[in-house]
C-alpha cells in the first residue's frame, strides 16, 4: 500500500481530532439525523462529458475504435489523435447554465439536499482547484461550477453535496494511450501521451495534458479491452498501481475542495474509499472531513460520507451507497440509493426515444427505498449547455406535485416493523456489486404497499392508484405486528371520509371516489384510542 505520510509544505494538512485515518477509528461515525429525515436529494452529474450529449463514459470509449462513441466522436470532432478529450473540454462552454433556477426547481420538487459533481473519471476539476491546472475556471466554461452550485444550494436552503470520481483516472483513461487497430490511421497514437512541450502554438499551450490524462505510466495488461476495468475497480486483477505522486495529488485536490466549500455530503465513486487498498489517502480524507466538519458544528458531526460495496466494518465508518438499485430488506443502518432519469451523462438518444424514468417510477422507488431505511438521490441529466430538457422538467415538476401533497409520508419518517406487502417483495432481486438490481424484480402495482411511520401513525403507500378494495394483512386484528388499535384511516390530501373496517385477517379500505394526486396513494393509519 502506498502511504502518503511525509507531507511537503505545499500539501494540505489533515485536520486532527476525534477521527484518525484508520478503519477502527472511523467506526465511531454515526449517520446524522438530518440526513435520515431528508430522504430525497437531486444530483447534477454534469461535466464536460455532457458536451457531446452521447451518454456516459464518453472520455474513455471515444478512444476505442469501433465503439459507437468513438464513431460519434470521429464524425463530430475528428480523429482522437488530433482531437482528444482535452479538446472536448475546450468546446464545453455551459453557455445557458443557470444554477439558481435549476436548484430552485429541485427545491420545489421536494429535494432536501442537492449534489453537484466535482470531478469525474475524466479528471477535470469543477472549481478553482489549487492542485489541478485542468479545472473549469482555467479551461472550458471558465466558471467556478462548484462555487456557483454551492451558492445556489445555500440560497434555497438545501444541504450541499459533492461527488468525487477522479481517483480512477489513472486506469480509466488508459484507452487514450492506444491507437486504431485498422484503417488509414492504424497505429497512429491517440493524444493520451502528449506532454506540455507538444502544446506550443495550440489553444492549450502552457498546460500539460498529463495533468489531465495521467498516462505517463505503462498501462494495465489488455487495457484496450473495455470490460477489463470492471474487474480492476478495486485496483486488483492486474491493474497498473497508481504511484505516490498521483495519490498525493488526489489527496490534496480533495482536501482543497473540502476546505473551500465545506460540503454537507461527499459521494465517492469507489469501493470503500478512494484508492483503497493501494493507498491510505482515502482514510486520511475521511478523517479530515469528519474532524473539520465537527469543528464547524461545535463538536457535533453533521457530515455524510458515502462509499460502495462496504463490508460490515466499513458500514460503521460511513453511509452505504447503492448504485442503481436498493436493498431487498429493511437495513439496520441508514443508506442511500442513487439512480438517474436516463444516462449519468446527458444522452440525446434517450431524450429522442423518450426513455426517461417516469415520475411514477421515481415516486414508487422513493417510497420503496424509504420503507427500507434509505434515501433516494436522483440524477437529472444536464445538457452540455447547462440546461435540462422539457421532458425532464415535466418529470421533475410532476414529482413535485406529488410531494407537495404526500411528503408527510416521506420526510422525517422511519421504517415500520416490516417494509410492506405485495407481490414484488417475494421477487426482490439481490444486490450485484455496487447495486445494479434496479428493474430486475416484478414491476410495482397498486397491490404493492410500502410502510413508513411517525409517532402515532403508519403510512401505507400504494405503488399505484387502487381501483379495487385495499386489504392490508399487516394491520388485521390478529396480526402479531400491530400492537395498538386503529382509530381512523384517512387518505392524505383528501377530505373524503373513507369506508374502512378491521377484521382479524386484514384492514379493509374501500376505494375513494377520487385520488388527490397521481402515481401513488397514501393512507394514513392513525393508532390509539
Amino acid at each position: 500500500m502506498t502511504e502518503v505520510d511525509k507531507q511537503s509544505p505545499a500539501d494540505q494538512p489533515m485536520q486532527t481530532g476525534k477521527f484518525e485515518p484508520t478503519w477502527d477509528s472511523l467506526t465511531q461515525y454515526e449517520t446524522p439525523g438530518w440526513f435520515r429525515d431528508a430522504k430525497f436529494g437531486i444530483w447534477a452529474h454534469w461535466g464536460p462529458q455532457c458536451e457531446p450529449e452521447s451518454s456516459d463514459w464518453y472520455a474513455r470509449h471515444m478512444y476505442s475504435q469501433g465503439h459507437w462513441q468513438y464513431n460519434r466522436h470521429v464524425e463530430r470532432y475528428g480523429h482522437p489523435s488530433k482531437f482528444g478529450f482535452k479538446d472536448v473540454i475546450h468546446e464545453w462552454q455551459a453557455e445557458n447554465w443557470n444554477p439558481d433556477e435549476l436548484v430552485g426547481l429541485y427545491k420545489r420538487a421536494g429535494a432536501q439536499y442537492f449534489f453537484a459533481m466535482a470531478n469525474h473519471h475524466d479528471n477535470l476539476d469543477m472549481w478553482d482547484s489549487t492542485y489541478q491546472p485542468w479545472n473549469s475556471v482555467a479551461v472550458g466554461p471558465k466558471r467556478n461550477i462548484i462555487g456557483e452550485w454551492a451558492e445556489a444550494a445555500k440560497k434555497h436552503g438545501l444541504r450541499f453535496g459533492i461527488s468525487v470520481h477522479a481517483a480512477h483516472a489513472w486506469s480509466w483513461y488508459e484507452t487514450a494511450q492506444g491507437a486504431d487497430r485498422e484503417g488509414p490511421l492504424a497505429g497512429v497514437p491517440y493524444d493520451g501521451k502528449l506532454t506540455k512541450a507538444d502544446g506550443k502554438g495550440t489553444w492549450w499551450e502552457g498546460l500539460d495534458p498529463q495533468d489531465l490524462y495521467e498516462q505517463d505510466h505503462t498501462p494495465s495488461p489488455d487495457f484496450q479491452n473495455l470490460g477489463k476495468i470492471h474487474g480492476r475497480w478495486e485496483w486488483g486483477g492486474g491493474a497498473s498501481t497508481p504511484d505516490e505522486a498521483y495519490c498525493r495529488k488526489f489527496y490534496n485536490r480533495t482536501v482543497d475542495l473540502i476546505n473551500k466549500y465545506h460540503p454537507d455530503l461527499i459521494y465517492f465513486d469507489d469501493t470503500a474509499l478512494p484508492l483503497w487498498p493501494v493507498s491510505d489517502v482515502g482514510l486520511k480524507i475521511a478523517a479530515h472531513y469528519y474532524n473539520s466538519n465537527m469543528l464547524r458544528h461545535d463538536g457535533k458531526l453533521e457530515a455524510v460520507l458515502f462509499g460502495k460495496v462496504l463490508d460490515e466494518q466499513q458500514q460503521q465508518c460511513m453511509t452505504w451507497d447503492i448504485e442503481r438499485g436498493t436493498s431487498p430488506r429493511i437495513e439496520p443502518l441508514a443508506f442511500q440509493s442513487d439512480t438517474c432519469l436516463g444516462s449519468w451523462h446527458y444522452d440525446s438518444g434517450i431524450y429522442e426515444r423518450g426513455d426517461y424514468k417516469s415520475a411514477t417510477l421515481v415516486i414508487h422507488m422513493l417510497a420503496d427505498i424509504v420503507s427500507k431505511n434509505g434515501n433516494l438521490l436522483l440524477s437529472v441529466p444536464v445538457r452540455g449547455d447547462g440546461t435540462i430538457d422539457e421532458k425532464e422538467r415535466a418529470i421533475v415538476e410532476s414529482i413535485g406535485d406529488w410531494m407537495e401533497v404526500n411528503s408527510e409520508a416521506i420526510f422525517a419518517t422511519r421504517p415500520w416493523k416490516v417494509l410492506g406487502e405485495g407481490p414484488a417483495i417475494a421477487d426482490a432481486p439481490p444486490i450485484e456489486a455496487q447495486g445494479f438490481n434496479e428493474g430486475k424484480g416484478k414491476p410495482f402495482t397498486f397491490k404493492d404497499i410500502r410502510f413508513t411511520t411517525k409517532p402515532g401513525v403508519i403510512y401505507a403507500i400504494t405503488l399505484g392508484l387502487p381501483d379495487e378494495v385495499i386489504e392490508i394483512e399487516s394491520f388485521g386484528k390478529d396480526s402479531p405486528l400491530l400492537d395498538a388499535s386503529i382509530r381512523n384511516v384517512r387518505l392524505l390530501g383528501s377530505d373524503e371520509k373513507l369506508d374502512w373496517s378491521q377484521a382479524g385477517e386484514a384492514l379493509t379500505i374501500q376505494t375513494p371516489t377520487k385520488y388527490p394526486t397521481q402515481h401513488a396513494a397514501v393512507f394514513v393509519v392513525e393508532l390509539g384510542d
Side-chain angles (χ1 to χ4, degrees):
M1 182 176 70
T2 301
E3 295 188 1
V4 182
D5 286 332
K6 296 179 180 178
Q7 295 186 321
S8 74
D11 285 335
Q12 292 283 321
M14 188 193 79
Q15 178 63 56
T16 58
K18 177 179 178 179
F19 293 92
E20 298 178 359
T22 67
W23 289 114
D24 285 345
S25 179
L26 294 179
T27 59
Q28 300 174 88
Y29 176 76
E30 290 185 14
T31 302
W34 75 259
F35 177 77
R36 298 195 65 201
D37 290 344
K39 304 301 182 188
F40 183 48
I42 289 184
W43 186 8
H45 188 282
W46 180 54
Q49 287 179 89
C50 297
E51 175 61 25
E53 299 189 353
S54 297
S55 196
D56 202 28
W57 282 30
Y58 181 93
R60 173 171 168 80
H61 297 157
M62 61 164 276
Y63 293 108
S64 182
Q65 187 180 30
H67 194 280
W68 73 270
Q69 287 167 308
Y70 167 95
N71 296 337
R72 183 77 62 86
H73 184 86
V74 170
E75 179 182 356
R76 178 169 177 175
Y77 299 115
H79 193 262
S81 63
K82 299 180 176 65
F83 195 106
F85 191 71
K86 67 183 186 313
D87 303 291
V88 175
I89 293 171
H90 187 54
E91 293 284 311
W92 180 47
Q93 298 299 304
E95 60 272 20
N96 295 315
W97 177 48
N98 184 339
D100 178 66
E101 191 277 329
L102 286 174
V103 175
L105 173 68
Y106 302 151
K107 173 70 177 289
R108 292 191 298 276
Q112 302 295 291
Y113 54 100
F114 170 76
F115 257 93
M117 188 170 69
N119 51 39
H120 197 252
H121 313 317
D122 61 38
N123 217 27
L124 181 79
D125 282 353
M126 311 280 279
W127 72 96
D128 53 339
S129 181
T130 303
Y131 296 90
Q132 172 56 300
W134 290 84
N135 65 72
S136 65
V137 177
V139 296
K142 297 189 176 179
R143 292 176 69 174
N144 187 336
I145 304 295
I146 291 297
E148 292 188 49
W149 280 129
E151 183 178 352
K154 182 177 180 180
K155 175 182 174 180
H156 291 282
L158 297 185
R159 298 273 187 162
F160 181 59
I162 54 175
S163 67
V164 175
H165 310 246
H168 290 281
W170 178 276
S171 56
W172 192 83
Y173 256 138
E174 286 179 341
T175 53
Q177 293 196 45
D180 285 3
R181 299 177 299 279
E182 56 189 26
L185 294 176
V188 176
Y190 302 146
D191 72 331
K193 298 290 281 186
L194 292 178
T195 66
K196 187 174 182 178
D198 296 312
K200 188 174 182 180
T202 70
W203 72 263
W204 48 274
E205 184 172 359
L207 289 168
D208 187 349
Q210 290 312 305
D211 282 326
L212 180 70
Y213 295 143
E214 295 287 0
Q215 294 307 304
D216 191 20
H217 67 268
T218 301
S220 310
D222 199 17
F223 68 95
Q224 290 178 297
N225 182 335
L226 294 179
K228 285 285 186 180
I229 196 168
H230 300 293
R232 295 168 172 169
W233 205 247
E234 300 172 29
W235 304 102
S240 172
T241 302
D243 61 23
E244 198 257 356
Y246 179 87
C247 297
R248 182 186 296 273
K249 181 178 178 180
F250 180 84
Y251 165 87
N252 281 321
R253 288 163 67 185
T254 309
V255 172
D256 175 56
L257 174 66
I258 292 167
N259 291 347
K260 284 178 175 173
Y261 301 105
H262 310 295
D264 300 294
L265 315 95
I266 300 179
Y267 169 109
F268 285 126
D269 192 5
D270 299 274
T271 298
L273 286 169
L275 297 165
W276 181 262
V278 298
S279 171
D280 67 344
V281 299
L283 290 169
K284 291 183 174 179
I285 292 168
H288 173 84
Y289 179 47
Y290 290 162
N291 290 332
S292 60
N293 181 272
M294 290 181 72
L295 280 178
R296 290 177 52 80
H297 293 94
D298 298 323
K300 183 179 179 181
L301 183 59
E302 291 282 284
V304 187
L305 177 66
F306 299 99
K308 300 180 180 182
V309 199
L310 306 180
D311 65 28
E312 188 173 343
Q313 183 189 40
Q314 291 163 350
Q315 287 192 39
Q316 304 291 325
C317 300
M318 64 192 82
T319 302
W320 181 25
D321 180 86
I322 303 173
E323 181 176 350
R324 286 196 184 269
T326 186
S327 172
R329 62 171 190 164
I330 295 176
E331 286 294 329
L333 300 174
F335 70 94
Q336 175 177 268
S337 289
D338 69 82
T339 194
C340 186
L341 287 182
S343 174
W344 291 119
H345 288 94
Y346 191 87
D347 186 339
S348 59
I350 291 177
Y351 166 77
E352 291 160 4
R353 296 189 301 271
D355 282 348
Y356 291 126
K357 284 183 175 67
S358 65
T360 298
L361 180 55
V362 171
I363 288 164
H364 292 177
M365 291 176 66
L366 175 64
D368 179 60
I369 290 162
V370 170
S371 77
K372 299 169 180 174
N373 205 22
N375 288 27
L376 174 63
L377 176 63
L378 177 68
S379 174
V380 178
V382 181
R383 292 173 169 136
D385 72 351
T387 63
I388 64 172
D389 65 54
E390 78 280 1
K391 294 178 182 179
E392 295 175 296
R393 186 174 291 272
I395 294 166
V396 172
E397 289 174 346
S398 187
I399 294 169
D401 291 342
W402 188 88
M403 293 287 276
E404 185 176 4
V405 174
N406 296 291
S407 62
E408 175 187 324
I410 300 296
F411 300 145
T413 62
R414 295 294 182 265
W416 194 52
K417 297 174 183 179
V418 293
L419 65 92
E421 295 183 5
I425 292 176
D427 194 47
I431 289 173
E432 301 175 9
Q434 292 97 324
F436 301 123
N437 60 354
E438 181 179 285
K440 294 185 177 180
K442 282 185 178 179
F444 294 130
T445 71
F446 68 80
K447 293 186 178 181
D448 291 295
I449 304 171
R450 295 295 177 265
F451 303 143
T452 62
T453 186
K454 289 178 180 175
V457 298
I458 306 168
Y459 301 97
I461 308 171
T462 63
L463 306 186
L465 302 180
D467 57 10
E468 59 186 59
V469 65
I470 302 112
E471 294 185 341
I472 307 177
E473 295 179 3
S474 299
F475 301 159
K477 286 184 177 179
D478 296 338
S479 171
L481 297 170
L482 200 62
D483 52 12
S485 61
I486 297 176
R487 62 182 177 87
N488 189 34
V489 179
R490 56 187 173 88
L491 178 63
L492 202 58
S494 172
D495 294 328
E496 180 180 351
K497 184 174 176 59
L498 296 178
D499 184 2
W500 63 274
S501 62
Q502 185 188 27
E505 65 275 10
L507 169 69
T508 300
I509 309 171
Q510 300 299 321
T511 54
T513 57
K514 182 181 179 181
Y515 289 103
T517 56
Q518 297 178 302
H519 314 305
V522 179
F523 294 95
V524 185
V525 179
E526 300 176 352
L527 304 176
D529 298 328

